[in-house]
Amino acid sequence: MLEDIPRPGIWKRFLIGSLLIVFAAAGATSVAAFHEVDKIVNKLNLGPELHLKKDSLATTDPGKPQTLMILGSDKRPKNNVEGAAGGGRSDTIMLVRLDPGKRATAIMSLPRDLKVEIPGHGTDKINAAYELGGPQLTLETVKKLTGLAINHVVNVHFNGFWRAVNAVGCVWVDVDRRYFNDSAEYSYINVQPGYQRLCGTKALQYVRFRHEDTDIVRAARQQDFLRQAKQQITASKLFDNKDRLMTIFGRNTNTDAKLRSRKEVLRLLKLTLFSATHPIQEISFRGTLGDSYVYATRAQIDQMTHEFLNVEDTPGPRGEATKKIKRPKPKQKLKVVGGLEDATGFGKDQAIQAVKSGAGTTLPALYPTLRLQGSVYAGPPRVYKLRGTDGKRYGAYRMVLQTGHAGEYYGLQGITWKNPPILEGVTETRKIGRRNYELAYDGDRLRLVAWRTPKALYWISNTLLLSLDEKQMLAIARSVRAL
């Protein structure tokens, strides 16, 4: 896996997911009420039209799969070291495949620094196509690179994300560690670790955070946010807010002319009616990171395109964080078995700190005696209160461990709220010893191991890259004990 290849911004993917389900909700009523179709067309016409050459876009028969190209650009302050403001280069080039015959909606993003041949301009980074010839030249470049037929182009602007998050009632997020910055060079953020509800600008800050992470970790965080959002946001909630969401989408996008007609919107409505309930699956990028460019061979591009058209999952972790963290050698040598080391003393110290901060009565302070080899606790545990969806206040604490690689954090969460939304992702219950563990998977990787006690709910969270394997996750969970 590549370490520093940019992935599509979560605000764009979030709007895409919302759009698909909103289209499907409207499509369910449009058979008897064509005014729903007209309403969507009117919303899409709120933004300027994209002017593309005739016959640039492919046409398909009704009900057949379609491919959409999504473009986006972030504007940043001039003194922001992540990128200067005002440039016309695309920050995101993403392809979305709507195929009702497949088990998932496929997403494939093309890194902005990917070295390509731009028609009429020679070799350059793929995001230069937008600066040289706008959406039209970007479309031609992507078609030449992938060989894909593209049916529609949507240019997405930045402002819609926080409005869309608030429109659906915010998102409960299992935050892996503390995110903090108050420097002028980067966006301000102060998000504490632990399970919590993120709204508006705070959600935007969380998904955009990058200056202490690699782009692959940032992409994994964005994917995890989208997964939790999709898990919590019901079709009925989206249907109730579809007018507001469509207005947000319309005001923050430009579309091709074909997507502004009743006939084409109705065709897309019928397609998304069968596709919107599918999970979103992102195709992993294959390539090599150089000093200035991202390189991908013809064979690698062809393989990604094949997976995109056929929605094939890639087993294993969601990426590999190769950037290691330099730490002094430990004073004592710990026993290591299966990649885990006995760290009972360190875990017990965390539990004692949690009790001093207010845990321990209604919320017993449990701690793991095992940890991944080379891990360290990233500061004292956070003990806090949160208000659940039922309006009641609950006690909670989070212990955070960092692996030996940048951006990789896992941890233990304790909470007196017995049925938080995160458990909606549980797919299996397994009895091991005296505990019944509730397991949540992401593909072939174990993402969450939860269990209940008479007083509280506890879980072990994997890293954003899902770098701990199933045996390690279960072993850490089984090692958790009380003071």
Side-chain angles (χ1 to χ4, degrees):
M1 297 292 178
L2 276 187
E3 179 176 336
D4 291 314
I5 291 181
R7 303 298 175 92
I10 183 64
W11 56 278
K12 304 177 188 76
R13 272 183 281 166
F14 185 86
L15 286 176
I16 290 165
S18 299
L19 177 68
L20 298 182
I21 299 177
V22 170
F23 266 31
T29 64
S30 63
V31 174
F34 273 86
H35 70 275
E36 290 288 343
V37 180
D38 291 331
K39 190 181 296 184
I40 292 176
V41 173
N42 291 336
K43 298 297 185 184
L44 292 176
N45 275 279
L46 290 174
E49 176 186 325
L50 292 177
H51 297 288
L52 303 175
K53 293 180 181 178
K54 187 179 180 181
D55 300 327
S56 293
L57 298 174
T59 58
T60 58
D61 294 331
K64 296 298 182 181
Q66 292 197 24
T67 298
L68 286 68
M69 184 174 76
I70 313 297
L71 304 175
S73 178
D74 288 350
K75 299 292 184 179
R76 299 186 177 99
K78 290 183 179 180
N79 63 345
N80 191 321
V81 299
E82 294 180 36
R89 297 195 175 199
S90 57
D91 183 70
T92 293
I93 301 174
M94 178 171 59
L95 300 173
V96 180
R97 180 73 171 174
L98 298 178
D99 188 343
K102 300 298 182 182
R103 57 186 172 81
T105 297
I107 293 178
M108 179 170 70
S109 69
L110 301 173
R112 57 193 171 196
D113 292 339
L114 181 62
K115 187 176 182 179
V116 298
E117 188 71 23
I118 299 177
H121 296 273
T123 301
D124 206 333
K125 296 179 180 180
I126 194 170
N127 68 342
Y130 193 93
E131 181 181 29
L132 294 169
Q136 176 64 50
L137 186 56
T138 304
L139 175 62
E140 294 172 8
T141 304
V142 171
K143 288 167 62 177
K144 180 177 181 180
L145 175 70
T146 63
L148 291 168
I150 296 174
N151 302 97
H152 295 291
V153 178
V154 181
N155 197 20
V156 187
H157 306 292
F158 185 76
N159 294 332
F161 174 80
W162 68 268
R163 292 186 177 92
V165 170
N166 286 346
V168 295
C170 308
V171 178
W172 285 95
V173 180
D174 192 33
V175 179
D176 59 326
R177 50 103 161 192
R178 190 187 183 194
Y179 293 86
F180 178 78
N181 175 66
D182 60 0
S183 169
E185 280 92 18
Y186 296 95
S187 297
Y188 171 81
I189 185 173
N190 186 11
V191 175
Q192 298 289 339
Y195 195 60
Q196 59 195 282
R197 183 170 174 255
L198 294 183
C199 299
T201 54
K202 182 165 284 192
L204 177 60
Q205 293 164 354
Y206 172 71
V207 298
R208 289 193 68 199
F209 184 87
R210 69 175 295 170
H211 67 275
E212 291 178 3
D213 286 337
T214 64
D215 274 345
I216 195 171
V217 174
R218 183 194 191 199
R221 184 168 63 252
Q222 294 171 349
Q223 292 173 34
D224 188 65
F225 183 93
L226 178 63
R227 177 191 56 77
Q228 294 182 80
K230 281 178 60 63
Q231 182 177 292
Q232 297 164 38
I233 299 168
T234 63
S236 60
K237 183 182 291 186
L238 283 171
F239 183 83
D240 292 340
N241 290 280
K242 69 179 186 297
D243 288 342
R244 184 179 175 190
L245 283 169
M246 285 305 303
T247 299
I248 292 170
F249 190 87
R251 287 177 176 171
N252 292 279
T253 61
N254 313 112
T255 65
D256 59 87
K258 292 173 59 179
L259 203 52
R260 292 165 178 260
S261 68
R262 173 192 282 187
K263 179 180 178 181
E264 192 62 25
V265 168
L266 182 58
R267 179 177 292 182
L268 198 59
L269 279 173
K270 291 179 179 178
L271 186 62
T272 56
L273 183 60
F274 296 101
S275 302
T277 56
H278 293 170
I280 293 177
Q281 181 172 310
E282 185 165 357
I283 306 303
S284 299
F285 188 85
R286 291 174 171 80
T288 304
L289 181 66
D291 293 334
S292 300
Y293 290 99
V294 172
Y295 301 90
T297 66
R298 182 72 262 163
Q300 289 171 325
I301 294 293
D302 290 345
Q303 178 63 30
M304 289 185 293
T305 301
H306 175 81
E307 292 174 358
F308 176 72
L309 293 174
N310 295 279
V311 198
E312 296 180 359
D313 193 14
T314 304
R318 295 300 170 259
E320 183 179 347
T322 57
K323 184 178 179 182
K324 294 185 177 181
I325 298 172
K326 293 182 179 181
R327 295 196 185 113
K329 293 183 178 180
K331 295 181 180 179
Q332 60 183 99
K333 191 172 183 180
L334 303 175
K335 183 179 179 181
V336 179
V337 178
L340 302 177
E341 60 188 20
D342 185 339
T344 303
F346 297 103
K348 187 174 183 179
D349 181 63
Q350 285 277 308
I352 292 172
Q353 292 182 67
V355 170
K356 290 181 179 179
S357 297
T361 305
T362 58
L363 177 60
L366 307 189
Y367 65 94
T369 63
L370 294 177
R371 68 184 184 189
L372 192 68
Q373 183 181 10
S375 298
V376 296
Y377 282 96
R382 179 195 177 200
V383 179
Y384 62 105
K385 299 283 186 181
L386 75 162
R387 192 175 299 277
T389 54
D390 55 5
K392 296 180 180 179
R393 288 180 62 81
Y394 297 97
Y397 75 86
R398 181 65 161 234
M399 295 178 181
V400 178
L401 294 107
Q402 182 178 22
T403 73
H405 294 90
E408 287 195 350
Y409 296 81
Y410 64 102
L412 168 67
Q413 177 80 40
I415 190 170
T416 56
W417 188 9
K418 293 294 186 69
N419 293 291
I422 194 171
L423 294 183
E424 294 175 12
V426 169
T427 57
E428 180 185 338
T429 300
R430 190 182 304 177
K431 184 175 178 60
I432 305 176
R434 296 182 179 180
R435 289 179 184 161
N436 287 313
Y437 292 100
E438 299 177 48
L439 311 180
Y441 286 86
D442 188 341
D444 66 329
R445 307 296 285 189
L446 186 55
R447 176 174 47 79
L448 189 83
V449 180
W451 68 96
R452 304 171 191 270
T453 70
K455 290 187 175 182
L457 170 72
Y458 300 86
W459 67 76
I460 298 293
S461 295
N462 206 334
T463 67
L464 289 171
L465 295 180
L466 306 180
S467 51
L468 278 70
D469 63 32
E470 181 173 322
K471 289 183 178 180
Q472 291 170 335
M473 288 285 290
L474 289 172
I476 293 173
R478 295 185 65 187
S479 78
V480 174
R481 66 177 63 169
L483 276 174

